[in-house]
């Protein structure tokens, strides 16, 4: 299992490097595909992944990504309201096919997966985005690795004993500090390319610390959903890691945080 997890993790990192460095339409298309797969995994939990409501959700997600590229909607709230009206129409005109929680899950899934993940692309499209986008992964995957190492070595106090008994407070602190230090090192190496001073480097390290702290919420929230519905993994797409939501649970919530905070620091 460890060998499978390691090898698939290496392949995942290589693909991520290639796609994010290339950026542009390739990144947009890949993130859109990942979002739809992630939504499918989430809807499967609610036993509605192949329903009309789910298909409408996938279509709206693709429209959302297309609008990021072509900007044909004057206000994204139009899409959100239209999506909600469509879901409610499906709910009432096919009653009692759907339960209320399935319709709410369909609406939630679009924003939780597709909209949140889109900030990877949106961060990449910032002026210094080809450097800033890596902060998303430093304070999600990077902090997760640091938290695991510190937790194994020094972990004594459980952070959430019922929801995730293996996670410790010491590990959480290690993850936050580790993400900040990794970002400080990264920012120092590339500060000339990003055209920033040492002050901004430390500010970005602070941004990553906040992102790392919030990434734990994303990780635990995804775990809570799985526990509520008694499932081990969201999928089996990534050998040794589970599905898209199992691997991107912390990235989902970190991406928009990094986008907004990094945009503020770099303005």
């Amino acid at each position: 299992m460890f060998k499978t997890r390691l090898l698939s993790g290496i392949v995942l990192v290589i693909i991520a490097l290639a796609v994010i460095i290339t950026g542009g339409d390739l990144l947009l298309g890949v993130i859109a595909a990942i979002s739809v797969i992630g939504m499918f995994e989430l809807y499967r939990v609610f036993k509605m992944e192949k329903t009309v409501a789910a298909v409408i959700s996938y279509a709206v997600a693709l429209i959302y990504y297309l609008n990021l590229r072509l900007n044909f909607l004057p206000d994204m709230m139009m899409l959100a309201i239209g999506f909600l009206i469509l879901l409610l129409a499906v709910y009432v005109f096919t009653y009692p096919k759907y339960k209320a929680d399935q319709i709410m899950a369909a609406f939630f899934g679009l924003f939780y997966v597709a909209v949140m993940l889109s900030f990877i692309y949106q961060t990449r499209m910032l002026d210094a985005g080809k450097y800033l986008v890596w902060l998303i992964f430093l304070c999600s995957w990077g902090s997760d690795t640091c938290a695991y190492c510190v937790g194994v070595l020094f972990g004594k106090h459980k952070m959430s004993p019922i929801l995730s008994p293996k996670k410790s407070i010491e590990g959480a602190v290690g993850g936050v500090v580790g993400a900040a230090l990794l970002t400080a090192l990264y920012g120092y190496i590339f500060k000339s390319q990003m055209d920033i001073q040492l002050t901004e480097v430390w500010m970005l390290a602070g941004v990553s610390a906040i992102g790392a702290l919030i990434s734990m919420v994303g990780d635990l929230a995804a775990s809570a959903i799985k526990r509520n519905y008694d499932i081990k993994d969201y999928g089996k797409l990534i050998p040794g890691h589970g599905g898209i939501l199992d691997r991107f649970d912390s990235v989902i919530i970190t991406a928009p945080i990094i986008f907004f905070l990094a945009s503020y620091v770099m303005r």
Side-chain angles (χ1 to χ4, degrees):
M1 174 62 77
F2 175 76
K3 185 178 180 181
T4 301
R5 184 179 176 86
L6 178 63
L7 289 175
S8 62
I10 292 171
V11 171
L12 185 64
V13 168
I14 291 172
I15 293 173
L17 282 168
V19 172
I20 293 174
I21 288 172
T22 302
D25 291 344
L26 175 63
L27 177 60
L28 181 68
V30 170
I31 296 298
I34 288 174
S35 295
V36 171
I37 295 170
M39 290 169 68
F40 181 89
E41 292 176 351
L42 181 65
Y43 294 158
R44 186 164 51 196
V45 174
F46 294 89
K47 297 179 173 57
M48 55 167 292
E49 72 276 11
K50 297 180 181 179
T51 62
V52 173
V55 172
I56 290 174
S57 302
Y58 305 144
V60 172
L62 294 177
I63 292 171
Y64 169 78
Y65 275 96
L66 194 60
N67 184 68
L68 286 179
R69 177 67 175 81
L70 301 178
N71 195 29
F72 53 83
L73 290 175
D75 189 341
M76 286 301 298
M77 190 58 68
M78 294 170 59
L79 185 63
I81 293 173
F83 177 48
L84 179 58
I85 292 171
L86 274 175
L87 287 179
L88 291 176
V90 170
Y91 181 45
V92 298
F93 289 118
T94 62
Y95 190 86
K97 180 178 179 180
Y98 296 94
K99 294 181 179 180
D101 63 339
Q102 291 178 311
I103 296 298
M104 288 186 280
F107 191 74
F108 169 73
L110 175 74
F111 291 91
Y112 174 60
V113 184
V115 174
M116 300 284 270
L117 278 178
S118 75
F119 283 95
I120 297 175
Y121 169 77
Q122 294 186 64
T123 303
R124 177 64 177 81
M125 297 304 292
L126 294 172
D127 289 339
K130 62 182 178 180
Y131 298 103
L132 293 174
V133 70
W134 299 106
L135 270 62
I136 295 171
F137 300 96
L138 284 174
C139 63
S140 53
W141 294 350
S143 70
D144 186 51
T145 301
C146 292
Y148 174 79
C149 294
V150 173
V152 168
L153 293 173
F154 306 107
K156 292 182 180 179
H157 302 87
K158 302 299 182 184
M159 183 170 67
S160 182
I162 297 176
L163 183 56
S164 187
K166 293 183 179 180
K167 295 186 184 298
S168 66
I169 294 175
E170 292 83 359
V173 172
V176 172
V177 173
L181 293 177
L182 286 172
T183 300
L185 178 61
Y186 173 81
Y188 183 78
I189 293 172
F190 292 104
K191 62 184 177 68
S192 296
Q193 290 86 340
M194 289 190 284
D195 192 26
I196 58 175
Q197 303 300 317
L198 198 57
T199 301
E200 284 79 18
V201 170
W202 287 112
M203 290 176 70
L204 289 177
V207 166
S208 280
I210 295 171
L213 190 62
I214 293 174
S215 76
M216 297 175 194
V217 175
D219 185 14
L220 291 171
S223 296
I225 294 173
K226 288 191 288 187
R227 284 189 177 274
N228 281 160
Y229 290 89
D230 196 26
I231 60 173
K232 184 178 184 297
D233 294 314
Y234 284 102
K236 298 180 180 179
L237 182 64
I238 309 171
H241 292 270
I244 290 296
L245 294 183
D246 296 296
R247 184 64 278 180
F248 287 83
D249 51 6
S250 57
V251 173
I252 284 173
I253 199 169
T254 302
I257 298 301
I258 295 301
F259 173 82
F260 290 114
L261 292 181
S263 298
Y264 177 79
V265 170
M266 299 296 289
R267 68 180 182 180

